[in-house]
Amino acid sequence: MDVVFYTQRVEIKEKYGERWDCADQNIPFFLEKCGYLSIPVPNNWEIAKMMLHQFKPVGIVLTGGNSLNKYGGDAPERDALEIKLLSYALEYDIPVFGFCRGMQVILDFFGCRLEEVYGHVAVHHEIHGIFGERKVNSYHRQACFLANPPLEILAKAEDGVIEAVRHKQKPVLGIMWHPEREELFSSDDIKCVQKLFGKAEE
């Protein structure tokens, strides 16, 4: 089974003076349904770099959770790790899939400004674009209304918030919804990941 990496959120445990790397248990479950063995990456570039050389993943998933530090977040180590991972993936043509915060990282990397948005937390709403008309979940307070090249917009919400982007030349895709948070994983989301990571349909 092909290996993919996924990033983790940072949880601060002040009582113990600890910073925890952690992730929703549904993330590896969703990726297994896509046909991949997934490995979580610690928020430490030197260790992540050794893991990249050792396991040679066919894809990297930038997950949700934690606002970017420049927009009020408190996990600068995660920002640094994901920027390094994205830079490495672009250099070596490793496909990258980002959801929610992961898409925000992609947007920010290419100079797209995030803005505060309302009505996008713990709701389902319609999007339109390359994925057709479909309803997706939403758990974010920041988003973009404009995308810079080399990114192109694939889908928007009714209020103009960009819901999906991709790189015009590289295998990089971002979506603002959480595919792992659906009780039944969407076959469209599964096929989207498989296509990006180069898995042949069975």
Side-chain angles (χ1 to χ4, degrees):
M1 186 176 284
D2 289 332
V3 168
V4 300
F5 285 179
Y6 67 92
T7 60
Q8 302 180 83
R9 72 170 66 222
V10 175
E11 292 287 342
I12 301 171
K13 302 298 180 180
E14 294 182 357
K15 179 179 178 180
Y16 303 106
E18 297 176 349
R19 299 176 71 86
W20 292 3
D21 290 341
C22 53
D24 187 340
Q25 293 177 350
N26 275 340
I27 293 173
F29 185 40
F30 169 73
L31 293 171
E32 187 274 331
K33 291 299 181 183
C34 294
Y36 303 100
L37 174 63
S38 59
I39 298 176
V41 181
N43 286 297
N44 180 297
W45 171 241
E46 293 305 316
I47 295 174
K49 186 163 54 174
M50 289 188 287
M51 292 174 65
L52 286 164
H53 294 158
Q54 176 69 31
F55 295 102
K56 297 178 173 55
V58 299
I60 295 172
V61 180
L62 305 178
T63 65
N66 298 125
S67 294
L68 296 174
N69 202 56
K70 67 193 290 185
Y71 292 102
D74 55 6
E77 68 271 42
R78 182 178 183 187
D79 292 7
L81 180 277
E82 292 185 334
I83 289 169
K84 289 279 192 181
L85 279 177
L86 183 51
S87 297
Y88 185 96
L90 288 167
E91 181 177 356
Y92 293 100
D93 289 319
I94 301 173
V96 175
F97 174 60
F99 63 82
C100 200
R101 174 210 154 88
M103 176 169 146
Q104 292 174 342
V105 170
I106 294 168
L107 289 165
D108 184 70
F109 185 89
F110 290 105
C112 304
R113 183 170 63 91
L114 299 179
E115 301 180 32
E116 291 291 321
V117 295
Y118 302 94
H120 282 262
V121 178
V123 299
H124 282 73
H125 60 68
E126 298 288 338
I127 64 169
H128 56 88
I130 195 172
F131 302 102
E133 302 289 328
R134 62 174 291 194
K135 184 171 283 190
V136 298
N137 63 46
S138 187
Y139 294 93
H140 61 93
R141 292 183 172 85
Q142 293 148 348
C144 278
F145 291 90
L146 298 171
N148 298 329
L151 299 180
E152 62 177 333
I153 299 170
L154 301 183
K156 285 187 173 185
E158 292 181 352
D159 61 0
V161 164
I162 299 172
E163 291 286 329
V165 295
R166 70 180 169 199
H167 194 290
K168 291 182 180 179
Q169 290 85 36
K170 298 285 187 175
V172 175
L173 172 68
I175 63 173
M176 282 308 297
W177 60 94
H178 283 255
E180 85 288 4
R181 287 188 178 176
E182 294 301 324
E183 185 174 352
L184 295 175
F185 300 139
S186 164
S187 60
D188 289 337
D189 290 339
I190 290 172
K191 290 174 184 176
C192 186
V193 172
Q194 291 175 333
K195 182 178 180 180
L196 177 67
F197 290 167
K199 187 175 182 65
E201 293 187 13
E202 297 179 354

